Amino acid sequence: MSAPIKVEVQQLPHGKGLALPAYQSAHAAGLDLLAAVPDDAPLILSPGKHALVPTGLVIALPPDSRRRSARAPAWPRSMASPC
C-alpha cells in the first residue's frame, strides 16, 4: 500500500458550498468532482461531446507525487487542469 500524500485544496468563490471531491462508492477508483456551474445555467453535454467544466477548486499535489487525470487523450496539456 502506498503512503498517504498531503493534497492542498482551495475552494474558489464560484465553488463555495460545493462538496469536496469524494469517493461515491466502495469500489471507486478515484474521487468524483462536482461541476461549479450556476443552477440557472446547467451544462448539458450531448453524447460523444466534451467540454471544460469548472470545478471551483485549486488542487496542489506535492511535486514528487504522480498525477493521474481522466482528461481526454486528445486534449492539449494546456486544457488539462481547468478550475
Side-chain angles (χ1 to χ4, degrees), residues 13-79:
H14 63 283
K16 291 290 183 199
L18 291 178
L20 292 174
Y23 293 103
Q24 296 300 314
S25 68
H27 301 289
L31 303 169
D32 286 352
L33 295 168
L34 297 177
V37 295
D39 289 337
D40 61 348
L43 177 67
I44 300 171
L45 296 177
S46 299
K49 299 298 181 185
H50 61 271
L52 295 178
V53 180
T55 63
L57 298 174
V58 175
I59 301 173
L61 299 173
D64 59 344
S65 66
R66 284 188 260 161
R67 178 175 175 222
R68 300 186 78 176
S69 111
R71 83 173 158 31
W75 286 9
R77 285 202 175 272
S78 63
M79 296 173 62

